[in-house]
Amino acid sequence: MAERSSFVVVANRLPVDEVTTPGGERQWRTSPGGLVTALHPVLTEHGGTWIGWAGGTGDAPDPFELEGIRIHPVPLSAEELERYYEGQSNATIWPLYHDAVETPVYKRRWRETYRLVNQRFAEAAAEVADDGATVWVQDYQLQLVPAMLRELRPDLKIGFFLHIPFPPIELFMQMPFRAEVLRGLLGSDLVGFQQRLAAQNFVRLARHLLGLRYEGQSIQVDGRKVKAGAFPISIDTKEMERLAADPKVQARAKEIRAELGDPKTIILGVDRLDYTKGIELRLKAFRELLADGKLKVGDAVMVQVATPSRERVEHYQTLRVKVEREVGRINGEFGRVGVPAVHYLHQSYSKQELAAMYVAADVMMVTPLRDGMNLVAKEYVSCRADTGGALVLSEFAGAATEMRQAFLCNPHDPDGVKDALLRAVGAEQSELKRRMRVMQRHLRTHDVAQWAHTFLDALKEAAEGRDPEPHSLDGQST
Ligand code: ADP
Ligand code: F6P
């Protein structure tokens, strides 16, 4: 029997990946990604259990403890990985929830596997959660878990947080098993979103699709109340500031500048190689500014870190080809021997190396077509305690709601992106400092710990106000 916890996080990924070293030894390693970055400090503080997929296929390792967290791996077979993770999660739901910027693909067998895997996660949570425990389910891969878990364990306080955008009703209605997803989420006591508009979409959808009544942000479901709210996620601001101030990171930042030929302006992009991130349009804006003579190779250099991601999903393969073709085109047209216009890095980095890049960069470009939050934007700002640097930020990133002092742009308007980049490159130091200071102050009070506490306090309140004998969600009509 598994050890039980009073606080359980259920997420698609564990905060670690199992890797095999070149010598054949199997080891655990921290895995990258916004969610892992955000929740690690919260879990160590609570000493809880994290249920998630270890990153491979086949049997899962036995539960173990790592840095004060109980790790409870959930297995996925090769077929489940393809259908639940690559298929339903990342080729259906991901594009649909990001404004369908790529066409969502719908397949019956993917949905069936998504259901099956969600049930497995729910059963694992039911097994490890102590009586009356708090269970916090994360993100779009696990939207059916709250209702499945409530069915198994009505005593639990169940929270759900969606890290990505929640789509408008018309888009959500495209999804073949839309009512089941909505009922899944409604198994929670509290459903959290990055944006207020997303929470509003959700409550309206509950009425539209299931005919449920709501008052404010509270939906009536079978005599229970389900609350919806906005909880914009953030970063470990102190840790990021500390890292950026580390003399080794500072020295490495200088080294990076020197390695790039000490240009006047370093323009940086750091993203997963994902079509929502607007990498292509950013490259295109840079190319056009070089062609217009408004930026010059040697004076300005672009560094694009594009972390490998979801590499077997077709949309991602196509994107990689397009991005690499554009980088080749820019360097071919504008580069000189030993002086490329764009440095393209399809690699993962340590937190230290990323911080050094942030410290070195004069302009950070964050230009997603749609993004739940975008932690990279927040990391960059918190690394610039010197109050230098400029952030060019898409209005369609969740972060834009909080970071109004960035150079905001509409990523669908190429001239607008070029204009924001030029304004950032040409801004006076005093203006840059003023903008940075305001954003930094905000991040110091709105960090990841504050995010988690606010959500968990709201969850406690929502769960305590609920009907003591909740009904199952089965039998709801669509
Ligand atoms: P998403 O969750 O969609 O990937 P975010 O910007 O919210 O986007 O979070 C990305 C996280 O991954 C950030 O914490 C960032 O520091 C980290 N990250 C991005 N690229 C790399 C990389 N090449 N190596 C290591 N970490 C990375
Ligand atoms: O931000 C959305 C998200 O799916 C996170 O849940 C995850 O940590 C990150 O993107 C990376 O994606 P994946 O887990 O598919 O590699």
Side-chain angles (χ1 to χ4, degrees):
M1 169 128 182
E3 270 190 74
R4 301 178 101 202
S5 284
S6 64
F7 181 62
V8 180
V9 169
V10 189
N12 175 56
R13 274 190 196 275
L14 285 172
V16 290
D17 272 336
E18 198 178 21
V19 291
T20 307
T21 62
E25 196 194 336
R26 299 186 89 184
Q27 274 182 356
W28 290 103
R29 179 185 78 174
T30 313
S31 55
L35 176 60
V36 170
T37 314
L39 276 183
H40 194 265
V42 185
L43 258 157
T44 42
E45 188 187 322
H46 286 86
T49 296
W50 187 311
I51 295 171
W53 166 54
T57 55
D59 290 344
D62 288 335
F64 61 97
E65 200 157 320
L66 189 78
E67 294 165 27
I69 304 173
R70 241 172 259 145
I71 303 287
H72 189 102
V74 173
L76 285 186
S77 68
E79 188 181 89
E80 286 164 352
L81 176 69
E82 187 209 318
R83 295 181 179 183
Y84 147 79
Y85 171 75
E86 293 167 348
Q88 184 63 22
S89 297
N90 289 315
T92 304
I93 299 170
W94 179 270
L96 183 71
Y97 282 29
H98 286 87
D99 282 355
V101 294
E102 277 292 350
T103 309
V105 182
Y106 301 112
K107 292 204 176 154
R108 201 176 282 128
R109 61 175 186 277
W110 290 356
R111 291 197 284 284
E112 282 156 10
T113 310
Y114 183 87
R115 196 177 287 131
L116 190 130
V117 171
N118 271 242
Q119 185 69 38
R120 186 174 304 149
F121 275 83
E123 281 165 12
E127 191 192 340
V128 304
D130 222 337
D131 294 343
T134 297
V135 179
W136 193 358
V137 184
Q138 309 287 328
D139 230 355
Y140 63 101
Q141 303 94 341
L142 300 173
Q143 293 174 97
L144 305 180
V145 169
M148 289 170 165
L149 184 55
R150 184 166 299 283
E151 191 73 30
L152 295 165
R153 292 286 306 275
D155 59 300
L156 301 176
K157 299 180 192 69
I158 305 173
F160 180 92
F161 185 76
L162 186 70
H163 291 251
I164 68 173
F166 191 71
I169 293 180
E170 313 83 76
L171 271 180
F172 189 88
M173 293 301 282
Q174 278 189 14
M175 206 167 28
F177 77 146
R178 60 203 185 183
E180 192 177 339
V181 169
L182 181 55
R183 278 195 218 106
L185 293 169
L186 288 168
S188 318
D189 294 294
L190 175 66
V191 186
F193 300 90
Q194 303 277 21
Q195 299 281 312
R196 200 171 326 146
L197 201 60
Q200 282 165 5
N201 286 346
F202 179 73
V203 289
R204 289 194 191 124
L205 178 72
R207 183 176 65 188
H208 181 82
L209 188 55
L210 301 178
L212 298 174
R213 292 200 1 221
Y214 68 86
E215 215 185 298
Q217 301 290 83
S218 180
I219 308 166
Q220 295 281 346
V221 185
D222 286 348
R224 249 178 356 105
K225 275 190 185 152
V226 178
K227 288 242 167 96
F231 302 86
I233 199 169
S234 195
I235 56 166
D236 189 347
T237 310
K238 259 201 220 104
E239 171 59 17
M240 212 63 222
E241 287 183 349
R242 192 199 56 74
L243 200 60
D246 184 328
K248 283 201 210 99
V249 169
Q250 289 285 330
R252 177 66 192 135
K254 285 209 181 83
E255 207 173 85
I256 291 172
R257 286 200 78 95
E259 284 167 2
L260 292 170
D262 274 320
K264 246 200 313 219
T265 311
I266 297 175
I267 302 165
L268 177 67
V270 174
D271 316 78
R272 272 184 311 101
L273 187 45
D274 193 299
Y275 51 85
T276 59
K277 301 287 182 183
I279 300 171
E280 281 173 279
L281 68 92
R282 184 184 310 163
L283 287 166
K284 189 164 174 253
F286 184 57
R287 170 165 55 77
E288 290 190 5
L289 289 172
L290 291 174
D292 297 346
K294 299 212 166 115
L295 291 178
K296 266 179 56 201
V297 170
D299 281 358
V301 64
M302 181 176 260
V303 178
Q304 177 63 55
V305 175
T307 320
S309 182
R310 306 172 189 166
E311 289 182 285
R312 298 196 321 179
V313 178
E314 203 182 325
H315 290 140
Y316 290 77
Q317 293 169 350
T318 318
L319 174 74
R320 182 171 176 188
V321 171
K322 287 199 224 156
V323 166
E324 294 184 355
R325 193 188 297 139
E326 183 65 28
V327 170
R329 177 177 173 188
I330 299 174
N331 283 335
E333 279 180 34
F334 300 100
R336 297 197 303 270
V337 174
V339 191
V342 181
H343 291 250
Y344 169 76
L345 304 155
H346 186 238
Q347 296 164 34
S348 275
Y349 290 96
S350 65
K351 285 238 148 289
Q352 286 76 1
E353 183 69 6
L354 270 188
M357 289 192 204
Y358 293 145
V359 172
D362 301 291
V363 180
M364 182 82 207
M365 288 204 82
V366 178
T367 56
L369 296 163
R370 174 62 77 193
D371 207 332
M373 175 50 65
N374 199 291
L375 296 176
V376 163
K378 292 188 169 182
E379 288 171 359
Y380 176 69
V381 168
S382 69
C383 274
R384 303 311 304 242
D386 57 340
T387 55
L391 173 65
V392 173
L393 181 60
S394 158
E395 291 164 11
F396 294 89
T401 309
E402 297 166 78
M403 322 258 269
R404 306 305 297 170
Q405 295 71 26
F407 291 87
L408 295 172
C409 64
N410 172 5
H412 299 278
D413 168 16
D415 293 331
V417 176
K418 282 160 66 179
D419 178 59
L421 176 53
L422 275 187
R423 281 190 296 122
V425 170
E428 295 288 334
Q429 274 304 312
S430 55
E431 180 188 349
L432 294 178
K433 283 189 177 182
R434 183 176 49 75
R435 288 173 182 258
M436 271 293 169
R437 248 187 241 122
V438 178
M439 295 191 282
Q440 284 169 352
R441 266 205 300 271
H442 174 80
L443 289 180
R444 285 192 191 122
T445 47
H446 295 77
D447 65 358
V448 71
Q450 185 264 352
W451 166 75
H453 288 141
T454 311
F455 183 93
L456 292 170
D457 288 350
L459 171 56
K460 189 161 178 276
E461 219 170 83
E464 282 168 358
R466 76 174 191 227
D467 186 333
E469 289 205 41
H471 307 288
S472 136
L473 290 167
D474 282 350
Q476 285 282 339
S477 68
T478 59

